[in-house]
Amino acid sequence: NLGSRPPRLFALVPSPPLVIGATDASGIGLGGVFFIPTDHSSEAQPQYHAFVWRHRLPDTIRSRLISTSNPTGTITNSDLELAAAVAHPDVIASTSNITEITIAALHDNTPTVFWQRRGSVTTTGPAAYLLRLHARHLRYISTHDYIPGPINAMADDASRLLHLSSHELLSHFNSVYPQLVPWTG
C-alpha cells in the first residue's frame, strides 16, 4: 500500500527504543517481559513499569512439538519462539499506545531474530504478511536482537512457570527480579 500511503519518516528512521523486552518459548508455553517508562521517568532517573506475560500452549500444539520423545512432530522450537516474538508487541499494545515508538525485543533463538529482522520466514507466503501486518497497523518499529539463553532468565521463567497462579508468578518476579515499580502481569 505504499502507493496510496507514503511511508512516514518515523518508519524509515526509527527513534531509540522506548520499550525494551525479551521473549521465550518452551514446550509448555510462550512468555516475555517488557519495560515501559513511567510518567515520572527521566534520563537522569529512569523508572519503568515492568510487565510479564505468558500463554500456555494448547495440548494440540504441544503434542506436535518435535522432541527426542516425539521425533516425528511437525512444530519446531523455532516455530514456538517466533510465535512468542509475534505475540510480544501485541501484548505491549494491550497495555500502552505504541504508535510511532520503537520497541527493542530480545530473543534467545537466532532464527527468530533473523526472521523478524527480515519480516519473513520465507520470501513469499502468509507468514511474511503476518510478520509485517501488526507493525503496519499500529505504526510502531520493532528491532530484534539476540540474547544468550542463560541471560534470558526473566522471559525463560515467564514461558515455563505456568504451574504458578498469576499472583504467585508476580510474587516470584518481585522477589527474584525486583524493580522500583512492582511487576504487573
Side-chain angles (χ1 to χ4, degrees):
N1 65 353
L2 289 177
S4 63
R5 185 180 63 105
R8 296 171 57 88
L9 181 60
F10 171 79
L12 301 173
V13 184
S15 61
L18 188 63
V19 178
I20 298 171
T23 66
D24 192 54
S26 69
I28 50 177
L30 313 175
V33 297
F34 58 95
F35 301 88
I36 297 176
T38 67
D39 293 338
H40 307 293
S41 188
S42 68
E43 256 187 65
Q45 289 190 312
Q47 291 183 5
Y48 296 92
H49 292 289
F51 293 87
V52 57
W53 66 270
R54 63 190 175 161
H55 176 74
R56 179 179 295 280
L57 293 170
D59 290 338
T60 55
I61 299 292
R62 295 173 59 196
S63 66
R64 294 175 49 205
L65 181 62
I66 298 169
S67 65
T68 53
S69 62
N70 186 23
T72 60
T74 58
I75 297 175
T76 68
N77 179 63
S78 292
D79 293 329
L80 297 181
E81 294 278 358
L82 180 61
V86 169
H88 190 67
D90 197 53
V91 173
I92 296 169
S94 73
T95 66
S96 302
N97 179 2
I98 60 173
T99 302
E100 296 195 356
I101 69 162
T102 300
I103 299 169
L106 303 170
H107 318 283
D108 61 7
N109 178 272
T110 53
T112 295
V113 171
F114 291 104
W115 288 335
Q116 288 278 36
R117 283 181 182 172
R118 188 173 58 193
S120 177
V121 294
T122 61
T123 54
T124 61
Y129 176 73
L130 291 172
L131 283 171
R132 293 186 297 267
L133 177 66
H134 196 265
R136 281 185 185 167
H137 177 68
L138 294 177
R139 295 188 356 237
Y140 65 89
I141 298 290
S142 192
T143 63
H144 303 275
D145 286 298
Y146 176 76
I147 183 173
I151 298 172
N152 199 20
M154 288 185 279
D156 189 62
D157 281 358
S159 73
R160 286 172 172 73
L161 298 178
L162 293 156
H163 63 282
L164 298 179
S165 70
S166 295
H167 177 73
E168 291 169 331
L169 180 70
L170 291 175
S171 293
H172 169 79
F173 269 77
N174 283 317
S175 66
V176 177
Y177 311 111
Q179 303 295 314
L180 291 176
V181 178
W183 285 87
T184 304

